[in-house]
Amino acid sequence: NDYAGNFADFLAAVPTDTPWCFWYGSLEPHRAYQYGAGAALGHKSPSDIDQVPACWPDNEVVRNDLLDYAFELEYFDQHLTRMLQLLEERGQLDNTLVVVTADNGMPFPRVKGQVYERSNHLPLAIMWKKGIASPGRTIDDYVSFVDLAPTFVELAGLDWNQTGLAPAAGKSLTDIFRSDRSG
């Protein structure tokens, strides 16, 4: 899938000075992926894995599975990098809110669809050069996907009641955007 190519087509079709939203959801980090691709195509070795989580057996099959997953994530990252470059080339990167997260964890036992630390502690990175007061901070506050919709609605200058949606289950993250504190 050429996600970055699709994004380039989308940007070319958006009228100038028109707000837009683009969702990039990658299929690759989801099962099924080709066993051994991380080693064969990603040029990695099972010995490159520093540590296998204690809840999984530390063997070649698990290590290769971790490499295969990492290879798929690298593909995602390559397309994200190209998309960010496209925004920068068009002079739109500084005023574009970029939210990057995993959906619900790695497709491994005790992670995806389970109630363990690795299924509830997912990566989240937010970049908005003109909208985040002190970028580069690490925030330890508990946030959830349900917080994204209230954030987007508030940043669009709308009151939640104007959306016609049921009351928001989440809380806007704009206070975090405006803060200068880590933690």
Side-chain angles (χ1 to χ4, degrees), residues 102-183:
D103 57 359
N104 29 17
M106 302 163 56
F108 289 83
R110 294 182 68 113
V111 183
K112 193 169 199 141
Q114 306 297 311
V115 185
Y116 294 101
E117 173 65 14
R118 286 184 178 87
S119 61
N120 292 297
H121 189 169
L122 303 173
L124 172 66
I126 300 176
M127 181 178 75
W128 185 19
K129 292 184 179 189
K130 287 189 176 179
I132 295 180
S134 297
R137 295 173 291 134
T138 298
I139 306 298
D140 298 324
D141 292 354
Y142 181 79
V143 300
S144 180
F145 289 152
V146 298
D147 298 326
L148 295 177
T151 302
F152 300 154
V153 167
E154 181 180 339
L155 293 175
L158 300 173
D159 179 86
W160 188 264
N161 296 326
Q162 293 175 284
T163 67
L165 299 171
K171 179 183 172 197
S172 175
L173 302 176
T174 56
D175 289 347
I176 293 172
F177 293 179
R178 294 179 185 125
S179 174
D180 61 356
R181 298 184 349 211
S182 294

Side-chain angles (χ1 to χ4, degrees), residues 11-22:
L11 287 178
V14 173
T16 307
D17 298 327
T18 300
W20 53 265
C21 176
F22 185 89

Side-chain angles (χ1 to χ4, degrees), residues 3-164:
Y3 302 108
N6 292 340
F7 184 58
D9 292 344
F10 171 82
L11 287 178
V14 173
T16 307
D17 298 327
T18 300
W20 53 265
C21 176
F22 185 89
W23 177 67
Y24 163 38
S26 173
L27 298 173
E28 283 72 22
H30 297 79
R31 299 264 187 208
Y33 35 78
Q34 180 184 353
Y35 180 78
L41 302 174
H43 309 292
K44 306 273 195 278
S45 168
S47 64
D48 292 337
I49 307 252
D50 293 335
Q51 178 183 359
V52 173
C55 60
W56 304 328
D58 187 351
N59 59 39
E60 291 296 306
V61 171
V62 171
R63 286 176 171 268
N64 271 296
D65 206 24
L66 288 168
L67 289 178
D68 295 345
Y69 178 66
F71 178 69
E72 300 298 342
L73 288 178
E74 288 173 355
Y75 186 79
F76 174 92
D77 291 348
Q78 290 168 3
H79 281 270
L80 178 61
T81 298
R82 287 175 49 203
M83 291 175 184
L84 294 174
Q85 289 169 342
L86 286 166
L87 288 170
E88 190 166 40
E89 289 167 7
R90 287 173 162 74
Q92 295 182 358
L93 184 60
D94 289 354
N95 199 33
T96 299
L97 173 64
V98 178
V99 177
V100 180
T101 186
D103 57 359
N104 29 17
M106 302 163 56
F108 289 83
R110 294 182 68 113
V111 183
K112 193 169 199 141
Q114 306 297 311
V115 185
Y116 294 101
E117 173 65 14
R118 286 184 178 87
S119 61
N120 292 297
H121 189 169
L122 303 173
L124 172 66
I126 300 176
M127 181 178 75
W128 185 19
K129 292 184 179 189
K130 287 189 176 179
I132 295 180
S134 297
R137 295 173 291 134
T138 298
I139 306 298
D140 298 324
D141 292 354
Y142 181 79
V143 300
S144 180
F145 289 152
V146 298
D147 298 326
L148 295 177
T151 302
F152 300 154
V153 167
E154 181 180 339
L155 293 175
L158 300 173
D159 179 86
W160 188 264
N161 296 326
Q162 293 175 284
T163 67

